[in-house]
Amino acid sequence: MTAQADLAFEGRGTSGVPLLLVHGFPVDRRMWRGLLERLGDVARVVALDVPGFGGSPPVMRDTVTMDDLADVVAAVADAVGFERFALGGLSMGGYACFAALRRMPERIERLILCDTRAEADSEEARAGRLADAERALAEGPGFFVDKMRDKMFAPATPRDRPELFEEVDGWMRGASAQGVAALLRGMAARPDSRPQLGAIAVPTLVIGGRDDKITPPDGMRAMARAIPGATCVEVPGGHLAPLEFPDEVAAAIRPFLRSH
Ligand code: MLT
């Protein structure tokens, strides 16, 4: 995919480690807002919107692959003047990190993998995604949001912080049907990244929400064990731990950025 010039992103901080963050699906860069507020003193931190989400342009194609997202990362890095940078991604954003490592390893100097997985979809999951993509185009993404919304958070969050739960529900319902369908197809097509884990040669921090139902802690720990020298930190929260518990996630990232 040709990188688009009008991709949306926002940043904080004027000195320190360049850090680029890629959001999960089907949310957008707003999920990183707590980290933007907290890391600006140690990093030049930039959160981007992938095409079809947040403020980025609509998707004009059937499929947006993880390689396409790696190209989006490169385009935003170029736009903000990051030659080499730390790359962080949550869930789908993590899949994009693996693609970026394959496509431009020379630009990535450290890695933050949040609530994600390295393996590809099972046949069943892939078929489910392709069916969901068709349905999102036919009737809009609402049915998909209904399926996802409880899984995105720790069980206590909808109860204790209903305003946050409703806010994220609104973000997801605001995503375009074309964006949702194109990324579902792209995630369905992603390769197994496990074979590359042992060759990751940059400092890596793995962060997982203790109550993550989509990418549970066991899987995060196994992924971290397969990456040489990786640090694994469990934090409170669910799949969107950086949004639910930004203090704890920032506290994990801060020493990681200061070390190495
Ligand atoms: C995400 O949060 O990005 C999604 O859970 C990823 C996925 O559907 O595999």
Side-chain angles (χ1 to χ4, degrees), residues 1-4 7 25 50-53 57-72 103 133-134 136-137 176-187 189:
M1 181 164 82
T2 311
Q4 301 169 54
L7 290 160
F25 172 89
V50 310
F53 291 82
V59 168
M60 309 301 282
R61 47 197 285 160
D62 291 344
T63 304
V64 172
T65 65
M66 300 305 102
D67 282 357
D68 292 331
L69 295 190
D71 290 349
V72 164
R103 284 170 87 80
E134 293 306 313
L137 290 173
S176 70
Q178 288 76 10
V180 167
L183 265 308
L184 281 168
R185 292 183 180 129
M187 287 191 286

Side-chain angles (χ1 to χ4, degrees), residues 1-3 61 64-75 78 83-85 87 94-108 111 191 193 196 200:
M1 181 164 82
T2 311
R61 47 197 285 160
V64 172
T65 65
M66 300 305 102
D67 282 357
D68 292 331
L69 295 190
D71 290 349
V72 164
V73 167
D78 290 345
E83 181 52 40
R84 281 172 55 77
F85 51 92
L87 181 61
Y95 312 157
C97 289
F98 292 128
L101 273 175
R102 289 189 287 270
R103 284 170 87 80
M104 49 172 178
E106 71 288 352
R107 297 193 69 175
I108 298 169
L111 194 60
S193 295
Q196 84 189 75
I200 294 178

Side-chain angles (χ1 to χ4, degrees), residues 24-25 90-93 95 117 129 148 152 187 190 214 239:
F25 172 89
L90 181 133
S91 202
M92 178 189 76
Y95 312 157
R117 59 166 74 84
R129 284 204 207 263
M148 291 293 288
M152 300 297 272
M187 287 191 286
R190 77 187 190 282
I214 297 178
H239 194 55

